[in-house]
Amino acid sequence: MLIEMLGAAAVISGGAGSASQDPQVGTRVAPRGDYRDTCSGEYVNRGRLYADCRTNRGQIRGTSIELNRCSDYEIRNNNGLLVCGPYRGQYEDRPGGGGGDGPGWPGGGGRGSITIYRDANFRGASFRFDGEVPNLANTGFNDAISSMQFRGAWEACTDAYYRGQCQTFTDDVRNLQRWGMNDRISSLRPVGRGGRW
């Protein structure tokens, strides 16, 4: 599964509806729009823009929107929901999303996501994944994760392809040093109550 990622501080150019490629790092970056003022963790995956956006009441909602609908419009945050022109995105922080223009999480059924951070306390460069990552070697985060935030339960392993020391996490982890896994994780996958999804 191809996972397209972006850095939170990427410089954007070009039209609103198309993700652009940074020639230095070769990763996808999100399109332009003032949603960046009130949203974070944005990334592009399979033609959709995903982000965590602040509502008028200060809450954070997971949301996404289909980029091919936004080619003529800038993307904005409307009370925690990504919108462009007349098109509304969907919420991604409850099972199945809801009320938007397409399906839920790329993995289906709103089963969860993981955001990884290079530094402890959810700081530094970060990326979010919605499905299993059998080998972090090509992500720039192999043996370079210090904290993680989750939707759902996830298994992290010190070797690629879910080998080595593995640990299942259900709560956010501010510092992986406590588990002896700081800067040691090489694969990640979501798990269900009875084991892997």
Side-chain angles (χ1 to χ4, degrees):
M1 172 176 141
L2 175 63
I3 297 175
E4 296 172 317
M5 302 169 294
L6 64 112
V11 177
I12 305 303
S13 62
S18 60
S20 58
Q21 184 111 6
D22 184 330
Q24 284 189 318
V25 297
T27 58
R28 299 293 249 174
V29 295
R32 66 189 169 100
D34 67 4
Y35 70 93
R36 295 175 149 249
D37 296 337
T38 53
C39 300
S40 63
E42 62 270 11
Y43 73 102
V44 175
N45 187 358
R46 294 185 178 183
R48 293 185 74 84
L49 169 66
Y50 293 81
D52 293 321
C53 296
R54 189 172 302 280
T55 68
N56 296 341
R57 294 183 176 183
Q59 299 172 314
I60 300 298
R61 300 291 308 262
T63 177
S64 73
I65 195 165
E66 198 173 317
L67 288 177
N68 65 8
R69 295 177 181 252
C70 299
S71 58
D72 297 326
Y73 306 99
E74 285 202 0
I75 299 174
R76 303 186 183 285
N77 172 18
N78 181 2
N79 194 24
L81 185 69
L82 290 174
V83 298
C84 63
Y87 300 106
R88 293 169 52 85
Q90 71 181 35
Y91 292 114
E92 297 287 351
D93 54 1
R94 62 178 181 265
D101 59 11
W105 289 103
R111 72 184 184 190
S113 66
I114 183 172
T115 304
I116 57 175
Y117 297 85
R118 191 172 299 278
D119 300 330
N121 297 312
F122 318 122
R123 296 186 179 183
S126 65
F127 287 125
R128 186 165 78 188
F129 299 100
D130 294 321
E132 62 182 35
V133 188
N135 192 342
L136 284 162
N138 295 324
T139 68
F141 274 83
N142 187 49
D143 293 336
I145 301 171
S146 294
S147 55
M148 304 183 291
Q149 292 180 310
F150 308 94
R151 285 192 184 126
W154 283 72
E155 181 181 50
C157 299
T158 56
D159 294 339
Y161 305 103
Y162 318 111
R163 294 189 298 240
Q165 175 190 347
C166 294
Q167 172 74 41
T168 298
F169 297 94
T170 56
D171 296 319
D172 294 348
V173 178
R174 290 188 169 274
N175 193 332
L176 279 162
Q177 190 167 3
R178 175 180 171 190
W179 284 269
M181 299 182 79
N182 186 52
D183 292 338
R184 294 183 61 213
I185 293 174
S186 294
S187 54
L188 297 160
R189 62 182 165 185
V191 296
R193 290 182 183 177
R196 293 186 297 276
W197 287 102

